[in-house]
Amino acid sequence: MFSYRHAFHAGNHADVLKHAILVQILDYFNRKDAPYWVIDTHAGAGLYALDGEWAGQSGEVVDGLDRLLGAPRPPKLVTRYLRAIQEFNPDGVANRYPGSPALALRALRAHDKLRLFELHPTEIEVLQDTLRQLGAPRRQVAIAREDGFDGLKRLLPPPTRRGIVLIDPSYEDKRDYRHTLQAVRDGLERFASGCFAVWYPLVQRVQAHEMARALERLPVEWLHATLTVRKPSADGLGLHGSGMFIVNPPWTLHEELRAALPWLTKTLAQDEHARHTLETSGQPRNASGDAPAARKPAPRTGAGRPADGRPAAQKRSPSRK
């Protein structure tokens, strides 16, 4: 149950998609003076050392964040994401990677609130220490050692009636797909105007595809983006991409993703099977709620890769593995 540690995957291609979108949503909410809450159901450790034992050992950042550093002509969404990462690395070397709690904390104003759930006994200790180091005000931030699926229910709707709910379990337990779908359904009953951001892995499990299709049948405004970086492995293991499903998305998000996804696909591609999709609830759908069979995904975009797997202009720490 507690085998998963996100530090092993910090800064990979899935984090790039998830956190670039999260930063855009946070920026959008900050356009209005009215306060809001951010609720993270599976917070993790909050901040990760990319040259540390976990992330340094896996090296997944090499095919994620590292490919973006120094890459030419990044679109607006990516530029803003990279600026957010830089805020945690003032020396200009990307050795620390902020998870969603750190990104949210940095974005919040004094009258906004952050509510975090984490069940892993080690992760929550690291998270608490991280927030102390970042100077998180106790009156603004609350952490609960609790299953976020259960804890979410009592927090909705937030008193401000403005809020972002991030749902991104590890999905190591197949039941997480069902729990995620139910959490969104229950959440919308309590907080119909809330922005719900769901991250999920693209893996060879039928549950992942079923959950995505079920989310698309919800009678709400939504945006659904996926990023595939390689062909699925023959043994069915490993993460070949990820998706983000956003209920009540910022109206600016679709255009920013439309500009960013082709660039991300090209930059993060590991083989010729790299591709992306971008769909919204405004697209025509048939009576069953599914998109028409003739629907075409965004064009496939392959990309060559430098011999060492990273952009030549990238700045790296000598200690980074």
Side-chain angles (χ1 to χ4, degrees), residues 2-227:
F2 294 130
S3 62
Y4 180 86
R5 299 290 296 276
H6 186 72
F8 191 78
H9 309 284
N12 69 359
H13 58 83
D15 268 359
V16 169
L17 179 67
K18 173 171 64 177
H19 292 141
I21 289 175
L22 176 61
V23 168
Q24 198 276 350
I25 295 174
L26 289 165
D27 283 351
Y28 180 82
F29 268 69
N30 283 338
R31 290 184 176 189
K32 292 185 178 180
D33 292 334
Y36 64 93
W37 283 31
V38 176
I39 303 171
D40 192 337
T41 62
H42 298 78
L47 192 63
Y48 306 95
L50 293 178
D51 56 352
E53 176 184 358
W54 292 86
Q57 185 180 55
S58 73
E60 290 189 19
V61 68
V62 172
D63 285 325
L65 172 64
D66 277 0
R67 289 195 177 203
L68 274 57
L69 299 175
R73 297 182 297 279
K76 179 181 176 182
L77 184 85
V78 176
T79 299
R80 177 64 184 94
Y81 162 72
L82 292 175
R83 191 164 71 248
I85 303 300
Q86 185 178 13
E87 290 176 4
F88 293 87
N89 296 276
D91 61 355
V93 180
N95 279 332
R96 298 204 305 171
Y97 188 85
S100 48
L103 291 170
L105 178 64
R106 186 60 58 93
L108 298 189
R109 294 86 47 95
H111 56 311
D112 303 320
K113 305 291 184 182
L114 179 60
R115 298 294 181 261
L116 305 170
F117 294 97
E118 179 52 54
L119 198 56
H120 195 293
T122 303
E123 294 284 85
I124 194 168
E125 290 181 4
V126 178
L127 176 62
Q128 290 168 337
D129 185 57
T130 294
L131 293 177
R132 281 194 294 268
Q133 292 180 26
L134 295 176
R138 291 186 178 182
R139 297 179 62 181
Q140 186 178 31
V141 180
I143 309 172
R145 183 177 175 182
E146 183 181 356
D147 186 330
F149 290 127
D150 294 330
L152 178 61
K153 298 175 183 178
R154 72 170 183 272
L155 294 186
L156 298 181
T160 59
R161 294 302 194 272
R162 295 186 75 217
I164 304 164
V165 179
L166 177 62
I167 305 175
D168 62 336
S170 68
Y171 297 97
E172 285 198 325
D173 185 338
K174 294 180 180 180
R175 293 174 296 180
D176 281 348
Y177 297 97
R178 175 167 48 86
H179 292 159
T180 294
L181 178 61
Q182 194 60 48
V184 175
R185 287 172 171 166
D186 292 344
L188 285 170
E189 289 183 3
R190 294 173 168 83
F191 186 32
S193 62
C195 178
F196 293 80
V198 174
W199 175 88
Y200 69 95
L202 293 181
V203 290
Q204 297 192 71
R205 276 186 176 180
V206 66
Q207 292 90 344
H209 303 285
E210 289 177 344
M211 185 190 75
R213 298 287 80 80
L215 287 170
E216 288 186 349
R217 289 193 288 270
L218 292 174
V220 293
E221 291 188 18
W222 53 260
L223 180 150
H224 187 193
T226 69
L227 176 62

